């Protein structure tokens, strides 16, 4: 059979960037949910096609990062499909008010943000350079704790958007549409860490010359002092001289009208000068009580991102990172045990870790499950053992009234398959086991079977509320069994 067909993807040099990109968009549209398409793809405009390189405009650096993080393979595949394997895609960041007026790209400012030669990003020269402050004030960095960095902030599903936005803002303070950036969430979940990381990075990387971190309480006390000592002008001038102002826990402004008024003017001045404001709060701005409507509406000008309590995987990763940083070896089972039991927040998780080290050294004991149990008993009311895949299988089998062996057997009878999928799903959710390990527990199935099971269960949860309740019951049963 020598009937070879040569298909050479001809680079579409003769077509305009617009038509290529619109073909790509139509193809992408069929492959992502319509809301995502509207949010992340519609705003991307093609601007140039040259030597197999398509240039598209995105409204912000964050936008670019989001696309790269979430749609990288899809975009790459689509571009290759329409333009050939060697095609390259270049992003240009053009803030919305500059788009369409033909702003020129500064080729010398090209930077590559991805390790793949097919994708690079170009930053606009002028719009990214920092605006010089009017009076040539000295650099200053106030009240930032150097301990809080992006490097030691563990990523997880629970903080994904907040972290991405924080990183975008720290790279280009005042230059993204996330102004102000408001990070909100419960106590001990990492708000202070994240907003200080923005300040530390922006200062160290020379993106902001004057950076100040202040809690809303400190701001309030200083304001009251300033009134008493007749120094309100100095007070205002100081905060208004910042390139990046980070204010923590703004819920404490509640009920303090004069302070709010002062902060309102500071906010406006900074915002008008294109300076970055970063805020944290224990709830979304719209739910803050005792705060002036004018302030609340301004807080919603930029981006509001939440931090949720961390899942088991993230909790374990945080503990592991602590051990690494402190150069201490703690057996994995001990880490799993702590992460299983301390679920509410990260501060408490760190507290347990420190108590564990303290107890080990004071009582000269080895760090093992026994020691961990002694520490946890003081913190958690009912200590649980980490859940094992075997236990999940046992409980699920009982729940569905089938012999546990069948979950591991080859049988493809429908009710067994369903139960097996539920057990795999719960194993992924409730243990730290990798997909591969989970597969091995189910009669040596491979990891793609586990992914498939996980996805079918997720799909059914979305469609069928009864199914969701059943699953919830099974989960409760397993949780109780580990008490
Ligand atoms: P909040 O301000 O939300 O009350 P913090 O920022 O003070 O919480 O965080 C509590 C502790 O947990 C801090 O020591 C912080 O370094 C740590 N922490 C929070 N989130 C993370 C994370 N994602 N990775 C690593 N450490 C974290
Ligand atoms: Mg805090």
């Amino acid at each position: 059979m020598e009937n070879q067909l040569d298909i050479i993807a001809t680079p579409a040099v003769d077509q305009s960037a617009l038509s290529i990109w619109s073909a790509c968009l139509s193809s992408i549209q069929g492959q992502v949910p319509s809301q995502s398409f509207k949010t992340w793809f519609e705003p991307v405009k093609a601007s140039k096609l040259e030597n197999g390189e398509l240039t598209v405009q995105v409204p912000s650096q964050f936008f670019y990062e989001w696309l790269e993080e979430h749609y990288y393979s899809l975009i790459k595949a689509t571009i290759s499909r329409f333009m050939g394997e060697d095609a390259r895609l270049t992003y240009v960041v053009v803030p919305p008010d500059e788009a369409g007026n033909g702003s020129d790209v500064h080729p010398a400012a090209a930077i590559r943000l991805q390790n793949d030669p097919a994708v690079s990003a170009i930053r606009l020269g002028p719009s990214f350079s920092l605006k010089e402050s009017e009076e040539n004030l000295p650099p200053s960095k106030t009240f930032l704790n150097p301990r809080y960095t992006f490097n030691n902030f563990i990523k997880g599903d629970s903080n994904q958007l907040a972290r991405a936005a924080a990183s975008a803002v720290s790279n280009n303070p005042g230059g993204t549409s996330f102004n102000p950036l408001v990070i909100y969430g419960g106590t001990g979940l990492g708000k202070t860490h994240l907003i200080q990381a923005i300040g530390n990075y922006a200062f160290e990387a020379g993106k902001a010359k004057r950076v100040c971190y202040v809690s809303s309480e400190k701001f309030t006390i200083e304001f009251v002092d300033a009134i008493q000592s007749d120094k309100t002008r100095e007070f205002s001038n100081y905060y208004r001289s910042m390139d990046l102002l980070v204010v923590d826990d703004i819920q404490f402004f509640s009920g303090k009208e004069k302070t709010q008024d002062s902060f309102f003017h500071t906010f406006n001045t900074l915002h008008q000068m294109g300076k970055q404001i970063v805020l944290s709060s224990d709830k979304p701005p719209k739910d803050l009580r005792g705060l002036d409507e004018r302030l609340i509406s301004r807080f919603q000008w930029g981006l509001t991102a939440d931090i949720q309590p961390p899942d088991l995987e993230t909790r374990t990763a945080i503990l592991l990172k602590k051990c690494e940083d402190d150069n201490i070896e703690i057996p994995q089972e001990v880490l799993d045990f702590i992460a299983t039991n301390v679920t509410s927040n990260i501060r408490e998780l760190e507290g347990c870790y420190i108590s564990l080290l303290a107890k080990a050294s004071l009582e000269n004991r080895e760090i093992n499950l026994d020691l961990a149990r002694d520490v946890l008993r003081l913190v958690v009311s009912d200590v649980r053992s980490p859940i094992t895949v075997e236990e999940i299988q046992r409980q699920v089998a009982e729940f569905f009234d089938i012999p546990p062996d069948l979950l591991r057997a080859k049988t493809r009878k429908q009710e067994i398959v369903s139960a097996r999928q539920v057990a795999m799903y719960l194993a992924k959710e409730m243990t730290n086991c990798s997909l591969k390990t989970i597969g091995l527990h189910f009669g040596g199935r491979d990891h793609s079977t586990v992914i498939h099971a996980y996805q079918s269960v997720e799909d059914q949860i979305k469609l069928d509320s009864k199914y969701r309740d059943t699953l919830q019951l099974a989960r409760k049963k397993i949780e109780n069994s580990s008490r």
Side-chain angles (χ1 to χ4, degrees), residues 227-242:
I227 293 181
Q228 282 167 359
S229 52
D230 213 9
K231 291 212 165 101
T232 47
R233 180 173 292 277
E234 284 87 340
F235 172 82
S236 303
N237 285 347
Y238 175 72
Y239 283 108
R240 290 173 204 181
S241 73
M242 293 300 153

Side-chain angles (χ1 to χ4, degrees), residues 5 9 21 25 35 123 158-159 184 219-220 226 249 288 331 361 423:
L5 188 62
W21 184 238
L25 284 182
Q35 191 55 42
R123 289 178 176 183
S158 51
N159 60 38
Y184 76 90
F219 187 93
T220 305
D249 290 321
L288 287 169
S361 108

Side-chain angles (χ1 to χ4, degrees), residues 39-54:
T39 312
W40 299 109
F41 290 96
E42 268 184 9
V44 180
K45 306 284 180 239
S47 64
K48 196 164 79 179
L49 181 63
E50 216 171 58
N51 306 327
E53 178 175 334
L54 177 66

Side-chain angles (χ1 to χ4, degrees), residues 337-357:
F337 182 64
I338 298 175
T340 302
N341 282 286
V342 185
T343 53
S344 56
N345 74 57
I346 298 168
R347 191 172 299 134
E348 201 168 291
L349 196 64
E350 288 185 342
C352 277
Y353 166 84
I354 291 165
S355 306
L356 189 76
L357 300 191

